[in-house]
Amino acid sequence: MTCDDHQQMISEFLDGELATSSERDLFAHISGCTSCREFMRSSIRTREYLAREEAPRVPASLDARITRLAGERIAVRPRVRRRILDLLKERVSVPVPALLLSSIVLALSLAVGGFLFATRESGRGATAQYIMSLPEVEVRGILPENHNQVH
Amino acid sequence: MRAATDEMLLERLRKGERDAFRDLYERYKGRLYAYCFRLLRNEQDAEDAVHDTFVKLYTGVDSLIHAGAFRMWLYRIARNESFMILRRSRGRSQVDPDECWDDSTPLQTLVENDTADLVRRCLGMLKTEYRDVLLLREYENLSYAEIAEVSGATVDAVKARIFKARKALAERLRGLFGERERP
């Protein structure tokens, strides 16, 4: 491992992100390496100085803008409208097996329904064709009196 | 009386309570403003970034499903707003992964006796992407996983970026914090 690798480990160690198992190797290397020791010292001192720094003051103009924002936004978002939007965004959780079962049942229903519908339609077509091909006399014999009105 | 949690405030905000919005603002404004200010190094830009972040909070509160991740979500929005401002002002968005320093502000031009200020200014001179991860780590105290969540990078990329930033800082501060340093 190079010094760069060890210095990356130092960086992780300082952030509490280095695996405990690697710490022993790291400190064994540091004890004999001036460059890595210097990097560690510099990183620690940098952190100390940054920790002492005061946070910048939030400007009053930002507070004022946020106050205005809250007033404006609430005015344009009436409760009823928001509730409808909430309802549209409502999420429900469905167990995967139940979802699969429902999908299969739906698919089967569609397939069976479609098949039955197609069979019925083709049956009707065949019957109508047969009736139309019959001679006039025979048609009168089997069709109801108001057959002409129907057609 | 125990302070309301973020989750409770968000729930109240969803119901349209403006006080909850103000409470969330009061809770996070200091941290977000400091983060944006240190990243952008400009008061007006930082103010705009924080303002736009809270606009997004208000308009996007319904889409925030996991209230537990609220803090990270807020930092992510603030970060995106800050980067957008930087892109607008500089017209650049990419960084050479091996280039840590912004050449437009070399350390040599600094005439600074105060060590704390020197450290802060050196940090401010790091390129944005490096400064960003170091700010989130050193000031905001976020873990690598949290920084990865905020920045949309992998944990390994965050590790590497933080190391490079520290290495670059150590190089510039060499001599100041060296072995022969006197307290």
Side-chain angles (χ1 to χ4, degrees):
Chain A
M1 282 177 95
T2 64
C3 275
D4 252 15
D5 296 329
H6 284 104
Q7 287 172 12
Q8 172 136 8
M9 287 166 75
I10 290 171
S11 179
E12 290 169 31
F13 171 75
L14 293 177
D15 293 331
E17 303 264 359
L18 184 68
T20 319
S21 54
S22 306
E23 285 179 12
R24 197 170 165 173
D25 289 342
L26 174 63
F27 283 99
H29 173 82
I30 288 176
S31 63
C33 178
T34 314
S35 163
C36 288
R37 242 185 352 257
E38 225 175 83
F39 174 74
M40 189 164 186
R41 171 189 280 257
S42 176
S43 298
I44 291 172
R45 296 305 306 272
T46 300
R47 171 172 285 183
E48 287 170 357
Y49 276 107
L50 293 177
R52 284 182 215 165
E53 190 191 321
E54 279 185 26
R57 245 183 96 238
V58 178
S61 51
L62 178 59
D63 289 340
R65 286 171 76 183
I66 294 295
T67 304
R68 273 201 306 276
L69 166 79
E72 284 169 15
R73 291 287 168 181
I74 286 190
V76 296
R77 287 169 53 116
R79 275 169 189 252
V80 176
R81 190 180 146 216
R82 194 168 43 74
R83 285 199 179 158
I84 292 169
L85 288 173
D86 285 351
L87 195 65
L88 290 174
K89 289 175 187 169
E90 189 72 45
R91 287 165 182 262
V92 290
S93 68
V94 180
V96 172
L99 187 68
L100 282 175
L101 192 64
S102 308
S103 307
I104 291 168
V105 168
L106 183 67
L108 280 175
S109 306
L110 286 172
V112 171
F115 175 74
L116 288 176
F117 183 75
T119 313
R120 199 174 154 209
E121 282 301 305
S122 65
R124 268 187 189 174
T127 308
Q129 212 173 2
Y130 171 68
I131 289 171
M132 294 309 289
S133 67
L134 290 174
E136 186 69 16
V137 178
E138 287 183 43
V139 170
R140 278 186 189 157
I142 61 165
L143 288 180
E145 286 299 316
N146 58 353
H147 142 253
N148 284 332
Q149 290 170 3
V150 173
H151 294 285
Chain B
M1 199 175 121
R2 206 174 158 188
T5 62
D6 288 351
E7 287 83 353
M8 290 157 73
L9 290 174
L10 284 170
E11 195 49 46
R12 282 174 48 204
L13 177 58
R14 285 195 184 102
K15 289 175 184 162
E17 291 183 35
R18 70 179 72 185
D19 285 348
F21 180 65
R22 290 214 183 93
D23 289 348
L24 283 169
Y25 170 69
E26 288 299 328
R27 183 171 290 180
Y28 285 102
K29 69 174 182 181
R31 272 178 276 183
L32 286 182
Y33 181 77
Y35 167 61
C36 292
F37 177 75
R38 285 166 178 147
L39 193 58
L40 295 164
R41 294 179 291 168
N42 179 289
E43 284 179 17
Q44 189 56 54
D45 285 348
E47 182 180 322
D48 289 344
V50 176
H51 174 265
D52 292 350
T53 300
F54 279 94
V55 169
K56 288 230 161 60
L57 165 63
Y58 203 91
T59 55
V61 68
D62 293 330
S63 63
L64 183 62
I65 300 161
H66 303 294
F70 173 66
R71 194 165 69 108
M72 296 309 115
W73 182 85
L74 211 52
Y75 273 115
R76 189 163 62 243
I77 301 295
R79 179 182 184 275
N80 290 345
E81 293 298 329
S82 299
F83 273 70
M84 210 181 293
I85 288 171
L86 280 171
R87 274 197 290 274
R88 274 203 300 264
S89 61
R90 289 188 200 170
R92 67 167 181 80
S93 59
Q94 294 298 315
V95 63
D96 178 349
D98 294 325
E99 182 55 64
C100 293
W101 292 98
D102 187 339
D103 291 334
S104 62
T105 51
L107 181 62
Q108 287 81 350
T109 61
L110 292 176
V111 183
E112 188 56 74
N113 294 323
D114 179 25
T115 309
D117 200 40
L118 183 62
V119 172
R120 185 179 55 78
R121 291 184 72 167
C122 282
L123 176 64
M125 286 159 60
L126 278 173
K127 279 204 168 178
T128 314
E129 284 75 4
Y130 295 94
R131 190 164 70 247
D132 174 44
V133 288
L134 217 48
L135 290 177
L136 290 171
R137 177 63 218 143
E138 300 289 10
Y139 290 109
E140 311 308 323
N141 217 19
L142 301 192
S143 68
Y144 286 0
E146 288 171 331
I147 296 171
E149 197 183 328
V150 169
S151 60
T154 62
V155 171
D156 283 342
V158 169
K159 270 184 202 176
R161 215 175 282 176
I162 288 178
F163 164 61
K164 278 188 178 181
R166 283 206 172 110
K167 178 98 175 160
L169 267 178
E171 284 291 320
R172 293 295 166 130
L173 296 170
R174 183 185 285 174
L176 189 66
F177 296 143
E179 294 254 312
R180 284 169 289 177
E181 177 197 5
R182 295 285 176 267

